Amino acid sequence: MALIKCPECGKEISDKSKQCIHCGFPLPTVEDVPDGFCLIDGVPRDLREALNKIDDYPTMTPDEQKRLKGWIFGQCQTISIYAAEQLLNIILKTHAVPKEFDGSYKRVGNGRINNIQPTSKNTLKCPKCGSTSVTTTTRGYSLMLGFIGSGKVINICGNCGNKWKPN
């Protein structure tokens, strides 16, 4: 079960619920999604144009392929460009638009797209930049305070250098 945002009120709800528990907005189910549409984060997205263009995909220039990936990214709105590339690869392999796609993917590894894993809800992220490159350490000795508070635990972001106390 994953949390998605309600298309009407924007509050987080379960992706398995039939309607929003906050505003009562009816959510589409996989059975309600017509051909050529894909249910992403509870919202059906029209991807029929991508389906029409995949027949020309092998003869497309790299710029045209990049534009198609960007078009899918723009249509889906809530997924990353890497998840859009993964969705395009699914469409290319199956010659069909999937009825449902989980857009909560992140890029991992050495910059390669082929190693995509779902993000965990319990992953520690920097509150300033959202990076998951976080180390937990103790404050240590300072010239001004000496050893006072040197055993307190702090988190340090490896991306932006932000320091904060863990919750």
Side-chain angles (χ1 to χ4, degrees):
M1 183 180 92
L3 291 177
I4 60 171
K5 290 191 179 200
C6 171
E8 184 68 22
C9 68
K11 294 184 180 174
E12 288 190 338
I13 53 173
S14 168
D15 64 341
K16 306 291 181 206
S17 59
K18 303 258 186 234
Q19 66 183 34
C20 177
I21 58 172
H22 304 287
C23 68
F25 184 77
L27 297 172
T29 60
V30 176
E31 295 83 31
D32 300 336
V33 177
D35 288 341
F37 283 72
C38 183
L39 193 63
I40 300 173
D41 293 332
V43 179
R45 306 289 183 178
D46 185 1
L47 299 177
R48 290 176 292 190
E49 187 175 326
L51 193 58
N52 294 337
K53 289 184 176 186
I54 64 162
D55 294 330
D56 303 330
Y57 194 80
T59 59
M60 283 184 179
T61 65
D63 285 340
E64 290 172 327
Q65 293 174 3
K66 190 175 181 180
R67 261 184 289 197
L68 181 58
K69 181 174 59 172
W71 181 85
I72 289 174
F73 175 64
Q75 281 296 104
C76 300
Q77 297 173 356
T78 57
I79 64 174
S80 71
I81 192 72
Y82 308 109
E85 184 167 350
Q86 185 184 26
L87 181 57
L88 176 60
N89 289 337
I90 291 169
I91 294 170
L92 287 171
K93 279 184 193 172
T94 61
H95 288 281
V97 175
K99 289 287 185 185
E100 188 173 24
F101 181 74
D102 181 11
S104 63
Y105 285 85
K106 68 175 183 176
R107 189 167 115 185
V108 295
N110 57 355
R112 304 181 101 172
I113 305 301
N114 60 356
N115 189 14
I116 297 178
Q117 299 173 346
T119 56
S120 170
K121 298 288 182 201
N122 296 328
T123 303
L124 183 61
K125 293 183 181 180
C126 173
K128 187 175 179 184
C129 70
S131 171
T132 56
S133 175
V134 177
T135 57
T136 303
T137 185
T138 56
R139 221 177 81 192
Y141 177 81
S142 75
L143 291 174
M144 187 175 289
L145 297 174
F147 288 104
I148 298 173
S150 63
K152 290 187 178 179
V153 177
I154 59 169
N155 294 329
I156 303 172
C157 177
N159 188 33
C160 68
N162 184 30
K163 296 178 183 178
W164 73 97
K165 294 178 192 173
N167 296 349

